[in-house]
Amino acid sequence: MLRTRLHALPPPLYRRVRRLWLSIVPIVQCSLAAGIAWWVAVVVFDHPQPFFAPIAAVLSLGLSLGKRWRRSVELVSGVVIGILVGDLLISVIGSGAWQIIVVVALAMAIAVFVDDGPLIPMQAASSAVLVATLLPPGGAGGFHRAIDALIGGLIGILIGALVPVNPAHRARRDAAGLLATMRDAARRLAHGLRDMDEHEVSAALASARGTQEAINTMRADMRGGKEVSAISPLYWSSRERLQRISATADPIDNAVRNFRIIARRALGMTQRGEALDPAIIDILDDVGEAFEVLRAMMIAKPNEEPDQADAARVLRSIARKAKPELVAHSSLSETAVMAEIRSLLIDMLMISGLRRSSAAATLR
């Protein structure tokens, strides 16, 4: 009932509500980590104003799953560098505009020398600016601030482990969304080619071209999911499943790229008035149905259907139709389209769990 009501919302509002819903757990994680980090720094370590602790906790978690360990290390390193440089220099040269220039330049230079991560220089610079402008240097302040940053980073990792995002759910959702986009694009491409409709073929190509951000998100969430399953005891049993899901990242990416090539060649043929063999168009229609099976496979729970074997069975039946003999006497354009379809089928077979050698052998 709730899902139906959500889908009834205007598309812009639906996208915003969905985005908020998918971010609920990371928001809860960041909120808890910030409050707990502040409490630990104040009550346990008796630091009077430990604002670096909640800042570090929030930044170490963020709204994305990817590279949280590295983000925490970069954050703490950047804060420590900025604090030490700021405390040491400002206590000697005083505060002012040119002093800020010197402090920020030196902190960022040291940070870049230490590591090539993007967060360390920015965090070092911002920490140095805070010390140079708002926080009195000297004494134990610099040491306390470094400890606060470490507290925040560790609390962030701890909260990420104890209140985790379901690592498999996010990865499966991303992959299924991409496969659904490719399903619709393949169906649209086949329809456009049957009707020699340049607009439809162009729209199918545009849809495939617009997936790069979704691919990047999928890869990041798959990496983050593996990280969560390694850190959180609640999801240690999901490691093998996450490994299987993550193994589909490259084949999905390659399938999208191959489909773009097919659509681009098909668009050129349509613009020139060249009709594609109806048998090949039927195969593209079948490809759309196969993308739907792969999508259903991706969101199916363990021991539910369709599974990898079901998807591979569907794809093998399509592979048997994609015979080189179909283009034995065809034009170069038609032959090129068939070659790319066969490459696409190899990628799709790999999404279903086959190794590249086994997938390629299916299309010999």
Side-chain angles (χ1 to χ4, degrees), residues 95-120:
S95 297
W98 71 266
Q99 289 93 336
I100 292 175
I101 293 173
V102 172
V103 166
V104 170
L106 184 58
M108 292 187 75
I110 293 174
V112 170
F113 178 80
V114 169
D115 190 83
D116 62 352
L119 184 57
I120 291 184

Side-chain angles (χ1 to χ4, degrees), residues 277-313:
D277 187 327
I280 298 178
I281 297 176
D282 289 342
I283 292 172
L284 284 171
D285 238 345
D286 292 339
V287 165
E289 297 309 311
F291 272 124
E292 168 56 23
V293 174
L294 289 172
R295 184 204 64 82
M297 176 201 78
M298 195 62 68
I299 61 173
K301 296 178 181 179
N303 301 319
E304 285 188 351
E305 294 181 348
D307 57 15
Q308 289 182 317
D310 296 324
R313 192 177 306 114

